[in-house]
Amino acid sequence: MAVDYAVIVLYLAGMLAMGWWGMRRATSKSDFLVAGRRLGPAMYSGTMAAIVLGGASTIGGVGLGYRYGLSGAWMVFTIGLGLLALSVFFSARIARLKVYTVSEMLDLRYGGSAGLISGVVMWAYTLMLAVTSTLAYATIFDVLFGLDRALAIILGGAIVVAYSTLGGMWSITLTDMVQFVVKTIGVLLLLLPVAVVKAGGFAEMKAQLPDDYFAPLGIGGQTVFTYVLIYSFGMLIGQDIWQRVFTARGDRVARLGGTAAGTYCLVYALAGAVIGTAAKVLYPHLGSPDDAFATIVKDALPVGVRGLVLAAALSAVMSTSSGALIACATVAHNDIWARIRGVVRRQSPATGAPHGPDAGPGGAAEPRDEVRGNRVFILLMGLAVIVIALALNNVVEALTVAYNLLVGGLLVPILGGLLWKRGTGAGALASVAVGGLTVVGLMLSLGVLANEPIYYGLLASLVAYVAVSLATRPTDAAVLDAWRARLAGRPDAAGAEPSVASGPSATTSPAGR
């Protein structure tokens, strides 16, 4: 085990070193939050795949394969489908908006009337998403090192918080590229074939297990439908995903790089389910399906290779955790805290130059102050994530809570804003409030894993959005004109970074604030 430990320790040390290096590049808000908006196709696709395939996709995906067989791939498969849809249909327009958060997009579209409440919902989603990845540390460290669960969460969480706080998106991008390579080698090229061979091949696996383990819908048609609603639609609107889209240096990179990442997710989904199915043959009586991944790695792989594959699992966990953490901190700092304090970075409609409390001499922004504030919030949110993770113990349940909140509260107003010009700010507010409260209420009464919360939450959100939008005055024409200009990527619109509106009472100037 000494060799395995050495591999993992070297990997973790490398993550911290990249965080330190990334700190030297993060000298502005744009660098810190969206890597300067200049990632090329290779780096963009690798980091996008890394963030969506985290602890739930790796540990949880193998666990679903252990419990349901090949149909356990559906959870991660629907994540890949959602990423493909985002990349093909929406990513180019999203990249052209030149914003930092989903709430800023809603401000632009609706004239500054939906940002705060949408920010609260998005913050809750990104917080829980970071928690799910942090929970996965416990499974890996417990099986491998025999560490206490709380110590494992604190250790892994501290490393992610450290490199994320140091360099922001640049550090996360660099570490994600390493993590993408490591988990491709560890999971797809090493663990997958070894697991199948150890289980006796597909013929032996089929002979040992019930037929349901090889049925396409063995997990249940209703469950697959729910996964589509939660994960495929969740990929379209999550702050963690959009923040990666914002890092692309152009429309083509966002579209083609995202398509490559989505295709990779489909392959990863099937691999996880096959590994879980093989684990069921080898270890039919594990205490928890989520133990399947670490158990098969520990028992089936040789020294050194075992360390690399467990490093791959840590890679998956850390990439999603760091991406969710910076998304959570970005929303908390830019969409919630700035509004509460009233410290809003505004821009002149005539020149696009910053002015107000965050402007420097001659109207120039003070990027280092921006970086400092976002860095503090990453640290604070990281500590909150570790504390919450210590109180929870189910990865899939925590992920379901996160996506139920996101999809039930924000899917309709976001897609409505992109696709329906008659949608209004009042309709968006009603949609977020009604959908979010419906989801929360039904989860409390029916259980977190029930299908009904997302069904009725989405329906209630849609009805509220359409009804209130039709009953209120259309969005101001100047706001819609500025919105269309930004979507089209016109130089007069795309050259300026939008500010956060001050809330429902914000004025609707030609700049959309």
Side-chain angles (χ1 to χ4, degrees):
M1 294 296 292
V3 175
D4 297 325
Y5 294 162
V7 170
I8 294 172
V9 169
L10 285 174
Y11 166 76
L12 295 176
M15 296 301 99
L16 291 174
M18 288 186 181
W20 183 262
W21 186 84
M23 182 175 64
R24 301 170 61 117
R25 303 196 63 170
T27 58
S28 70
K29 180 179 179 180
S30 179
D31 285 334
F32 192 82
L33 295 182
V34 290
R37 305 187 194 275
R38 55 180 185 266
L39 296 190
M43 187 167 285
Y44 176 85
S45 59
T47 57
M48 181 64 85
I51 188 177
V52 299
L53 297 174
S57 298
T58 304
I59 310 298
V62 171
L64 288 172
Y66 182 88
R67 185 175 179 183
Y68 297 107
L70 298 186
S71 65
W74 274 109
M75 184 185 78
V76 183
F77 201 83
T78 54
I79 289 174
L81 292 177
L83 185 53
L84 285 171
L86 173 72
S87 302
V88 172
F89 298 113
F90 299 107
S91 63
R93 284 187 284 176
I94 292 170
R96 286 195 293 266
L97 290 175
K98 301 296 183 185
V99 296
Y100 291 107
T101 69
V102 174
S103 295
E104 287 179 11
M105 167 264 170
L106 292 173
D107 275 344
L108 285 171
R109 170 59 181 83
Y110 297 113
S113 60
L116 180 58
I117 187 172
S118 65
V120 172
V121 175
M122 188 64 75
W123 172 79
Y125 155 72
T126 53
L127 183 70
M128 291 305 296
L129 186 62
V131 168
T132 64
S133 298
T134 305
L135 283 171
Y137 299 143
T139 299
I140 298 171
F141 283 118
D142 177 48
V143 174
L144 181 61
F145 301 112
L147 290 181
D148 176 75
R149 175 180 178 276
L151 180 59
I153 289 173
I154 293 171
L155 174 62
I159 293 171
V160 170
V161 172
Y163 74 70
S164 300
T165 302
L166 286 172
M169 187 60 82
W170 268 121
S171 293
I172 292 169
T173 297
L174 294 170
T175 56
D176 278 358
M177 278 306 299
V178 174
Q179 290 160 354
F180 171 74
V181 172
V182 169
K183 70 184 173 188
T184 298
I185 295 172
V187 175
L188 297 185
L189 302 183
L190 294 177
L191 182 58
L192 175 61
V194 168
V196 172
V197 170
K198 288 284 187 180
F202 285 103
E204 182 64 20
M205 290 162 61
K206 194 164 185 179
Q208 292 286 336
L209 298 171
D211 291 341
D212 287 349
Y213 267 71
F214 302 91
L217 295 177
I219 198 170
Q222 188 180 34
T223 299
V224 173
F225 180 65
T226 302
Y227 284 162
V228 171
L229 289 182
I230 295 176
Y231 300 122
S232 295
F233 286 141
M235 288 294 104
L236 299 180
I237 59 175
Q239 169 68 24
D240 54 319
I241 308 302
W242 278 39
Q243 200 157 342
R244 292 310 174 97
V245 175
F246 301 152
T247 66
R249 71 181 178 209
D251 298 358
R252 183 178 175 83
V253 170
R255 186 182 300 111
L256 297 183
T259 301
T263 303
Y264 179 89
C265 291
L266 303 183
V267 176
Y268 200 87
L270 185 59
V274 171
I275 293 168
T277 304
K280 183 66 175 178
V281 173
L282 295 170
Y283 318 103
H285 304 298
L286 290 179
S288 168
D290 282 346
D291 292 337
F293 179 88
T295 301
I296 195 170
V297 169
K298 183 178 179 181
D299 292 348
L301 296 179
V303 172
V305 174
R306 178 170 50 205
L308 179 62
V309 174
L310 284 165
L314 288 173
S315 296
V317 171
M318 288 182 171
S319 57
T320 296
S321 182
S322 58
L325 179 58
I326 194 172
C328 179
T330 302
V331 171
H333 182 253
N334 295 278
D335 292 334
I336 300 175
W337 181 245
R339 295 170 192 270
I340 292 174
R341 291 186 59 197
V343 181
V344 181
R345 181 173 179 245
R346 298 182 181 275
Q347 292 175 332
S348 166
T351 66
H355 65 91
D358 291 331
E366 296 285 357
R368 292 188 183 276
D369 288 342
E370 295 271 14
V371 170
R372 186 181 302 115
N374 283 287
R375 184 172 280 140
V376 168
F377 267 79
I378 289 181
L379 179 60
L380 293 176
M381 293 301 103
L383 294 176
V385 165
I386 292 172
V387 170
I388 295 172
L390 291 171
L392 299 177
N393 57 22
N394 189 296
V395 173
V396 174
E397 282 190 6
L399 192 67
T400 301
V401 170
Y403 276 98
N404 277 351
L405 288 171
L406 175 70
V407 176
L410 292 179
L411 178 69
V412 171
I414 292 174
L415 293 188
L418 290 169
L419 302 173
W420 190 40
K421 66 179 182 180
R422 186 60 181 83
T424 68
L429 280 171
S431 178
V432 174
V434 172
L437 290 174
T438 301
V439 164
V440 171
L442 289 176
M443 282 194 297
L444 290 174
S445 60
L446 301 177
V448 169
L449 296 180
N451 293 323
E452 289 80 4
I454 193 61
Y455 296 163
Y456 293 115
L458 267 177
L459 180 60
S461 181
L462 178 61
V463 170
Y465 181 71
V466 173
V468 175
S469 291
L470 292 176
T472 53
R473 294 180 59 185
T475 303
D476 186 89
V479 173
L480 288 178
D481 287 343
W483 166 254
R484 294 189 190 101
R486 188 67 69 89
L487 278 179
R490 286 186 221 150
D492 59 331
E497 297 283 6
S499 66
V500 180
S502 58
S505 61
T507 58
T508 55
S509 70
R513 297 322 162 250

